[in-house]
Amino acid sequence: MGDTPCVQAQPDQDGTRIIVCSGEFDIHSQGALDQALRNAHRDGATRTVLDMEHVSFADSSVINTLLVAHRRQHLVLAGPLSPQIARLFEMTGIDTVLNITADLTTASTR
């Protein structure tokens, strides 16, 4: 793997938690993402926005994490998505299940 994954939760605003992610996520590194999503739910955030603009790689373990979070909480993914992420989401059909927006600004209205 190249880019070290980074997950940073921003302070809630009007019940929305924004989690900014960057780097490459796989089965060995997706734990921080999972924990941030769980924390948002536990803390009572009414909406969780996952900023994925700077995520360069993800594998099926990330898809599982996103699907579990989607069933548990109001989850919005904000792009623009990298070509690899967009292709992964399209090939797996997750793009028809999750609420994916073009950018962070659009995500705040969903």
Side-chain angles (χ1 to χ4, degrees), residues 4 86 89:
T4 302
F89 285 4

Side-chain angles (χ1 to χ4, degrees), residues 1-104:
M1 293 260 109
D3 294 335
T4 302
C6 179
V7 177
Q8 184 177 28
Q10 298 180 349
D12 293 3
Q13 293 183 6
D14 298 323
T16 297
R17 168 98 33 108
I18 297 175
I19 302 171
V20 180
C21 300
S22 63
E24 299 181 352
F25 291 85
D26 64 12
I27 194 166
H28 302 291
S29 60
Q30 62 80 34
L33 171 61
D34 182 50
Q35 191 60 54
L37 290 165
R38 288 177 186 276
N39 289 347
H41 176 68
R42 181 200 66 215
D43 295 345
T46 56
R47 175 179 34 211
T48 305
V49 175
L50 191 59
D51 181 352
M52 296 191 64
E53 180 177 2
H54 299 289
V55 175
S56 55
F57 175 84
D59 69 5
S60 60
S61 65
V62 174
I63 290 175
N64 184 58
T65 297
L66 295 176
L67 287 173
V68 169
H70 171 72
R71 286 191 293 265
R72 179 179 59 224
Q73 64 207 90
H74 182 148
L75 179 65
V76 180
L77 275 56
L81 300 177
S82 74
Q84 188 272 333
I85 303 296
R87 181 166 163 78
L88 175 68
F89 285 4
E90 181 182 336
M91 289 178 60
T92 59
I94 196 172
D95 60 338
T96 64
V97 175
L98 298 179
N99 188 357
I100 303 172
T101 63
D103 55 40
L104 198 53

